[in-house]
Amino acid sequence: MSVGVWLIGARGSVATTAVVGAAAVAAGLTPPTGCVTESPDFAEAPLPDLGDVVF
């Protein structure tokens, strides 16, 4: 199941960084260091994988 994300901003620099970071983590190019959703508190949450997120 895909989950759509719509990022709204004035110039797109934050959106670009978020999309590139999500793509890098999904591809295994970088670890999910600093991702709050990777903490034990969210281990049981039914969150989608980054590969299922569509920007």
Side-chain angles (χ1 to χ4, degrees):
M1 176 174 84
S2 296
V3 176
V5 177
W6 187 10
L7 301 169
I8 300 171
R11 293 177 40 206
S13 58
V14 173
T16 301
T17 303
V19 172
V20 170
V25 172
L29 299 174
T30 189
T33 304
C35 292
V36 175
T37 56
E38 293 295 318
S39 67
D41 295 335
F42 289 92
E44 300 297 321
L47 299 172
D49 292 328
L50 282 177
D52 295 332
V53 177
V54 178
F55 293 94

